Amino acid sequence: MRKPFLIGAASIAIGMAIALASLSGTPARADANGAKLSLAKSLAAFEIGNISAARNNALDAVKADNGWGLAHAVLARTYLALGDGVPAEAELDRARAAGFDVARAHQLYAHAFLLQGDTKRALSEAAKAPPKFAGYAVRVGARALAADGDLPAAQKALAAVLAASPDNSFAWSDLGRVRYQTGDIAGAIQAAVKAIALDPANLEALTLRGELVRGQYGLIAALPWFEAALKKDYYYHPALIEYAATLGDVGRYADMLGATRRALATRPDSAQALYLQAVLAARAGQYDLSRTLMQRTNGALDSLPGALLLGGTLDYQAGGYEQAIAKWRELVGRQPMNITARRLLGAALLRSGDAPGALDMLRPIALRGDADSYTLTLVARAFERTNQRDWAGKFLDRAAFPARDKSAPFGIDDSAAVLGNLANEDPADPTRRVGYLRGLVDAGNTGEALVAAQALVRLAPGAPAAYLALGDTFAATARYAEAAEAYRRAADIRFDEPTMLRAVDALDRSGQRPAAANVLALFLSQNPQSIAAQRLAAHWQIAAGEFDAAIETLEGLRGRVGNRDAALLTELAFAYLGDNDAATGLAYAKAAYRIAPLNPATTDAYGWALYQTGANGQAAQLLEKAVSIAPEHAMLRWHLGQIYTDLGRASDARTQIAAALGDPTFEDRDAAAAVLKTLG
C-alpha cells in the first residue's frame, strides 16, 4: 500500500507541494483555477503510478501559471521519477526563482545530480536535507554510494531507512537494485517482491522484477512484468528500454522497434533507445544506419560494454581496424572473461599484423578443452606469423577435430598463489574468490578448490556464481550428479545460457538424459533465439530420430549464422540423410567437407552421404580418412564397418565393428552386435 504523500519515499516532493499549497494559497493569476486543476490531476496520476501523465499535467499547470513555484517543484518530481535529471534540475531552479523554499528541495536536487552522474554533488546535497525528508535523502545517498562502487555502505544506509520505515516500498526497490549489483540475486528478488507487495504502483520495483525474472526464468517470463509497468504508464522510459531489449532477444524485432519509438517519443534524446535501434539495424546488416544511430547518442553510452562491442564491430566493418581494436581492448580490460570480445580482438590484432598480441588475447580461450575451431585456427595463424610452425601445426590439428572436452573454467593465466593473495586482500569479494578457486582447479588442486567453493557458497548464498563455481569444481572431479545439483541451485536464482549448458552437460554425463532434455526444453521455451541451445536441441533430435524437427531447427539456425559453419552443415547432412533425403544430405555434407576437410566429423558426414547414394568405394576412402584422424571415435568405426560389410570386406568390417563395441559409451551396440554376428 502506498504511503501518504507527506511521508511516502516516492512522493515526498508532492507531499511538500500540498503542504505549501495550504500555506501559500492559490496562484495569483487569472487562470489560477486551470493551474490548480492540472496540478491536482498530476498528483492523482502520480499516485497510481502513471508518471508520464503526471508530468504532462504538471507541464499544463506550469503553462497555466509559470510563476507558481509549487507547480515547477511538482514537475521536477515527475522528471525525477522518470529518471530524467537535467530537466528536473532546471524545474527546481525555476521553482526556487518563483519562491519555492529551497530548504525543502535538497533531496530533490540530490536526486537530480545523481541522475546526471554527479555522485559527489548528490551526496553533498542529500546531507543538507532536513529530518522530515531524511528517508528520501538517505535513499538518494545510498544510490550514489552504489554508483561509486561502495555497495556495502549503500546497503547499510538502506537498512537504516528500512529499520525506521519497514513499509517503504521505494527503499525496498533501491535495496533490490543494490543487491543486484553485488551479485546477491536471491536477495534482490526478495527485496523486489517486498517492494511490489507494499506498492503495486512502484514502477521501479516492477521494472527491477522484470529484469530479475529475465535472469531467473527467461525472456518470455520477464515480458509480463515490463508490460505491467507499462500498463500503469505507457511511456515509462526505464521499462520501455528493458522491454525493448528483451523483445529483441526473443526475436520480436517489430515489437522491439515499436518500444524504442515509444521511448523516443517521451525522451527524444534517449541514448538507450537509439542504441537499441542501432543494434537492430546492425542485425539486419544496415551498418550505415546503425552507425548513424550510434552517432546520435553523442557518446553517452560509449563506455558501456554493449556499446563498445557494437562500436568496434561497426568500425571493423568500415575498415577502421585500429578504432575497433581500441574499443575491444577496453571491453576485454573490463570483462576479461568475455570470450566473444577476446575472439574479436584477437582476430583484429592478427589482421593488423600484431600476431604476438593476438596470441596473448586468444590464449585463455585456446586453453579451454572445448575451444572452437575458429579460435584455434586464429591461434595457429598467429603462430605461423611468428615462425613457430610446430605450434601452428598442433593448433591446426586441434581445429580439425570436433570439440570433445566438456566446457572448462576460463583459462587462468595467474597462479593459484597470486589469485589467493588477491582473494585475501578482500575476503568479502565473491568475484575474487571465484577466480581463486578456478585457479586451484586449473592447477589440479581440486580438493582445496572444493573446500574454497563450499566456503564461497556459505559466504554468498544468494549469488548464482557461487553455485556455478561449486558445480564446476564437482565437474572437474567427474562428480557430475553433485555438479548437476549445484547447477540446479544456481538456476533457481539465475537461469541463463551458461548455467543451462552446465546443467544439461552434468545431467547428461550423470545418466539423467530425460532431466537434461527437460532443462534444455524449458530454457528454449523462454529463450527461443539461443543459438547454443538450438544447436544442442538439434543434436539430440537427430540422436532421437526426430529428423523433421532437427531439420526445422537447423535450417532456422542456418538462416541466422550463414553457410560457413561446418558443424552446422554436418548436422544438417545427417538430419536430411535420416529423413531419407540423400540428395540434400549429400549437398550439405559436401559443403561442410569443403570448409573443413581435416575435420573427422565433416569427413564422416561426406562419406556416409556418399554411402547412402551408393558410392561405396568413395565412401570407404573418406571413412578411412576419418578413422585415421580420430581412431578413438566409435561411431566412425561403426560407419566404416558397415561400408566394408557391403563391399564384402568381412575381415576389415569385423575389425572396425569390434573396435566400436570396445567403447563403453558407444550407443548403437545392438545393431553393431547383430551385424558382427552375421560376419561370423
Side-chain angles (χ1 to χ4, degrees):
M1 183 174 181
R2 292 179 76 88
K3 285 283 188 180
F5 278 134
L6 188 58
I7 60 174
S11 311
I12 285 178
I14 302 218
M16 252 174 20
I18 292 178
L20 285 176
S22 66
L23 296 175
S24 60
T26 61
R29 298 287 186 275
D31 51 1
N33 288 335
K36 287 179 61 178
L37 179 60
S38 293
L39 195 63
K41 289 180 178 179
S42 175
L43 299 176
F46 197 102
E47 176 68 4
I48 63 174
N50 193 345
I51 312 301
S52 296
R55 178 200 56 199
N56 293 341
N57 282 295
L59 279 168
D60 289 340
V62 166
K63 291 176 183 177
D65 188 346
N66 191 46
W68 193 15
L70 183 59
H72 286 290
V74 172
L75 178 56
R77 186 62 186 91
T78 65
Y79 279 125
L80 293 173
L82 291 170
D84 210 350
V86 173
E89 181 185 2
E91 287 303 321
L92 287 171
D93 289 344
R94 294 185 183 104
R96 182 174 59 179
F100 191 81
D101 185 2
V102 70
R104 305 175 72 94
H106 290 301
Q107 70 282 355
L108 303 179
Y109 270 111
H111 196 173
F113 298 149
L114 174 64
L115 291 174
Q116 295 174 57
D118 192 343
T119 54
K120 291 183 179 179
R121 200 175 176 196
L123 285 165
S124 175
E125 195 69 23
K128 300 175 185 177
K132 184 175 183 180
F133 308 117
Y136 190 160
V138 173
R139 281 182 47 232
V140 172
R143 290 169 62 176
L145 289 168
D148 283 341
D150 194 350
L151 299 173
Q155 292 197 68
K156 185 177 179 180
L158 289 168
V161 174
L162 288 168
S165 179
D167 292 340
N168 189 325
S169 173
F170 286 85
W172 278 110
S173 57
D174 284 342
L175 180 61
R177 181 66 67 182
V178 173
R179 285 176 173 175
Y180 193 12
Q181 290 176 259
T182 67
D184 181 7
I185 307 301
I189 292 169
Q190 176 194 28
V193 169
K194 179 73 171 178
I196 294 169
L198 289 169
D199 184 359
N202 184 339
L203 301 187
E204 294 177 19
L206 288 169
T207 304
L208 174 62
R209 188 73 181 104
E211 294 175 56
L212 292 167
V213 166
R214 184 169 57 198
Q216 186 180 16
Y217 297 113
L219 301 171
I220 304 296
L223 292 174
W225 289 98
F226 301 130
E227 289 164 353
L230 294 171
K231 282 181 181 178
K232 296 182 180 299
D233 184 344
Y234 188 73
Y235 290 101
Y236 184 59
H237 185 268
L240 279 172
I241 294 302
E242 296 299 335
Y243 188 48
T246 308
L247 288 168
D249 289 341
V250 170
R252 290 170 54 183
Y253 300 126
D255 292 335
M256 174 189 180
L257 181 60
T260 60
R261 286 173 172 168
R262 280 162 59 186
L264 288 168
T266 187
R267 194 178 297 180
D269 59 348
S270 170
Q272 298 99 320
L274 291 168
Y275 163 71
L276 289 174
Q277 289 189 352
V279 170
L280 190 57
R283 287 177 179 173
Q286 299 181 38
Y287 297 110
D288 289 340
L289 174 59
S290 180
R291 198 171 291 109
T292 299
L293 290 165
M294 284 300 293
Q295 289 170 353
R296 287 180 57 193
T297 67
N298 294 318
L301 304 177
D302 284 357
S303 62
L304 297 182
L308 287 170
L309 187 65
L310 176 60
T313 302
L314 295 174
D315 287 337
Y316 193 86
Q317 190 274 336
Y321 304 123
E322 292 303 321
Q323 296 94 319
I325 288 171
K327 288 184 174 67
W328 289 335
R329 195 186 296 279
E330 182 179 350
L331 177 55
V332 170
R334 293 194 204 170
Q335 299 181 337
M337 297 176 68
N338 187 324
I339 292 178
T340 299
R342 278 187 175 269
R343 188 184 293 119
L344 289 169
L345 179 54
L349 288 169
L350 184 61
R351 179 160 187 165
S352 71
D354 184 4
L359 286 173
D360 288 342
M361 192 54 53
L362 295 170
R363 181 174 180 269
I365 312 176
L367 288 175
R368 294 169 59 105
D370 64 342
D372 62 284
S373 61
Y374 177 68
T375 298
L376 294 171
T377 301
L378 286 175
V379 170
R381 300 307 179 207
F383 275 122
E384 286 179 347
R385 299 275 184 88
T386 58
N387 294 318
Q388 300 179 70
R389 298 193 177 278
D390 52 341
W391 281 103
K394 291 177 182 179
F395 278 92
L396 283 174
D397 288 343
R398 279 189 64 195
F401 280 75
R404 290 166 295 174
D405 295 342
K406 63 181 176 64
S407 178
F410 196 81
I412 301 294
D413 287 332
D414 289 328
S415 67
V418 171
L419 294 167
N421 289 334
L422 289 172
N424 290 333
E425 287 177 6
D426 189 356
D429 185 348
T431 302
R432 293 193 179 194
R433 285 180 173 260
V434 168
Y436 172 52
L437 70 89
R438 283 177 171 166
L440 290 173
V441 170
D442 282 1
N445 300 328
T446 52
E448 189 177 350
L450 181 58
V451 172
Q454 291 168 333
L456 179 60
V457 168
R458 291 193 296 271
L459 173 69
Y467 294 106
L468 290 179
L470 178 61
D472 289 347
T473 308
F474 279 129
T477 56
R479 295 165 64 175
Y480 294 113
E482 291 166 288
E485 174 59 21
Y487 296 144
R488 181 196 65 76
R489 295 181 70 180
D492 285 343
I493 305 171
R494 184 178 63 202
F495 190 39
D496 58 7
E497 188 174 281
T499 304
M500 178 276 295
L501 291 173
R502 283 175 163 91
V504 168
D505 181 65
L507 287 167
D508 195 28
R509 289 174 182 268
S510 63
Q512 304 177 70
R513 172 62 70 87
N518 287 338
V519 171
L520 177 59
L522 177 61
F523 184 82
L524 271 172
S525 71
Q526 290 293 321
N527 305 273
Q529 295 293 299
S530 169
I531 291 176
Q534 287 184 338
R535 282 183 184 274
L536 185 55
H539 185 76
W540 283 6
Q541 286 166 343
I542 292 172
E546 300 170 0
F547 300 114
D548 284 341
I551 289 170
E552 182 178 357
T553 302
L554 291 166
E555 287 289 10
L557 274 174
R558 186 172 68 88
R560 294 173 60 196
V561 306
N563 294 313
R564 297 293 300 171
D565 189 317
L568 175 60
L569 297 177
T570 299
E571 294 274 60
L572 271 166
F574 280 119
Y576 276 107
L577 291 172
D579 201 41
N580 297 316
D581 187 348
T584 304
L586 178 59
Y588 277 121
K590 187 175 182 179
Y593 182 75
R594 190 180 298 115
I595 295 169
L598 295 179
N599 187 310
T602 60
T603 305
D604 172 44
Y606 191 20
W608 192 247
L610 287 169
Y611 174 59
Q612 300 301 311
T613 61
N616 293 357
Q618 292 175 274
Q621 292 177 11
L622 285 164
L623 263 299
E624 287 166 354
K625 175 182 175 180
V627 169
S628 70
I629 296 172
E632 75 288 352
H633 200 299
M635 187 59 69
L636 302 182
R637 289 186 175 274
W638 167 226
H639 283 171
L640 181 56
Q642 292 176 74
I643 295 171
Y644 280 158
T645 299
D646 282 2
L647 288 172
R649 297 169 57 177
S651 176
D652 292 333
R654 282 195 296 271
T655 299
Q656 297 300 326
I657 296 173
L661 288 168
D663 183 348
T665 65
F666 177 55
E667 296 181 353
D668 287 356
R669 307 189 71 80
D670 292 342
V675 173
L676 187 60
K677 185 176 181 179
T678 65
L679 294 172

